[in-house]
Amino acid sequence: MYTKMLDAVYSCFQCGACTSVCTASAVDKLYNPRKLVEYLISGKDTANYPLQKCFSCHTCEYICRSGISVAGIVKVLKEKSVNRYENENKNIYRDTIFEKGLSVTPDVHSPDKFPEWGYSWERIHSDMWKLRSELGLEGLHREIPRKSLDEIRTILESKTAVDERIRGERRVEMKKIIPESRIYLFHSCIADTHYPGITTSIKYLFDALDIDYIDDPGHSTCGGFAYYGDKIPFSTLLALNARNFALAEEAGYPNVAPVCQTTYGVLMESAEILKSGMGQRVNEEILSTVNRKYKGEVNIAHVSEILWAQRDRIKERIKHSYSHSHSLDNLRVATHNGCHYTKVFKKLAIPNLLDELVSVTGAEPVEYAEKSLCCGMGFGHTIEQERRALTREIAQRKLLSAKEAGAEVLVVACPGCQMTLDRNQELIEREIGMDIQLPVLNYAQFIAIAMGADPYSVAGMQTHSIPFTPVLEKIGFA
């Protein structure tokens, strides 16, 4: 049942710290996490409470002295709606998982569905086949083999007693080892759709550092974007990832390394639940239908953590790869870590991870006032057109804060954050009547360029809405 998560509200001090830092409350005063908890404690009806306004950033959980996750409670309250997923006749995210094994593809984020992203996205989207081919990639998105798709569909069609109520079950707290080998690279749907150069940069770095990894085409989406966007239940997400973990274990590469930080949070949460008695139920009721078995052997570390552990080697490689013609020395860089890395599993997060990775390139990390602010993606805020203005309001605060601090580049660790802060800049600039023009890069793209990788054939700068060309000219690459 959901009881355990909802019972947590009774440890609330009603101090209001959650509301003071809440991303949603900052743009809509009708959303007040302290007030929601008060309603739950007093037994008031929450049927008309604007739950959909939550950005799922978990800043409330990060700040709370009692460790209460109002964002998690909001998801539970949404899931309690009877047949909320089955009642949606047209659910492109659920259908795309069934048809392609992915949550996001170019069809799902086409310009007609996202006119706010402007001409730059329209141009990039129309040229994506060619742009991917320049990176040595085929097709418009990552293709999952037919046999794997059949397994995914079988799992999605399974009738089972394992449902979204599992989110309130007992968990086994995950421990993490940052691996150096036997790494199972776990793709990001958003990265592969919008910025395929992120994954090619990661593989470039792994190869350059002789890191032992596999790139298995058989794993599915983690389901995070669709789940947090209220398009699939948690039970679907859990079943998909139980299969993904089984693939990594069977391959002998149990160190699962997600590209995306939302995926990191999703995989960590899934593993915690599966390591309880729920793993056996999932094996018996779901994975047995596709002849797979989850053993509980996976270790999860974000790709950025793996590279952070190699930062001394990276620094040496950069030092020896520099030519006299280009250098990132003294380039001013703001950083942004995804909320589902820093706030959901804060005890396991590495403080200043991105700043330290930026420093090894010779660039200068820049402090700025809104460094800890959510990017504004909000999942449902990006999916539902009527809420996208709220996403832009938060993204604008973030971008202007970094720009005012003197940043010339914004380096991020989550593809969803990159999409939000890059794709929305064009319209934000028109709305406020001023240029921002702050290039947004993934840390892997940034480090790969610092190590001498080609900005286009490896890092894929041509898929970005805000051009990186002025920065390349400054560092002597153009």
Side-chain angles (χ1 to χ4, degrees), residues 261-326:
Q261 289 190 322
T262 296
T263 300
Y264 169 84
V266 164
L267 296 184
M268 291 288 281
E269 185 172 9
S270 298
E272 285 189 343
I273 292 174
L274 289 168
K275 280 181 176 289
S276 69
M278 190 56 62
Q280 183 176 346
R281 287 182 60 188
V282 170
N283 275 332
E284 293 172 354
E285 298 181 28
I286 301 176
L287 293 190
S288 62
T289 64
V290 293
N291 297 315
R292 302 283 184 190
K293 185 176 181 179
Y294 163 77
K295 299 176 183 177
E297 298 172 352
V298 293
N299 170 60
I300 298 160
H302 193 261
V303 171
S304 62
E305 296 177 312
I306 295 170
L307 293 176
W308 173 85
Q310 301 288 330
R311 60 195 182 282
D312 290 339
R313 293 182 62 208
I314 291 171
K315 187 173 184 177
E316 282 300 307
R317 290 297 299 262
I318 290 173
K319 184 167 66 175
H320 293 300
S321 68
Y322 271 165
S323 68
H324 293 295
S325 62
H326 74 271

Side-chain angles (χ1 to χ4, degrees), residues 36 82 97 100 113 142 170 193 239 310 329 378 387 438 476:
L36 174 60
V82 179
I97 294 174
K100 298 175 182 177
K113 298 182 182 71
R142 181 170 74 92
R170 178 179 66 88
T193 293
Q310 301 288 330
D329 287 354
R387 283 190 258 162
L438 185 63

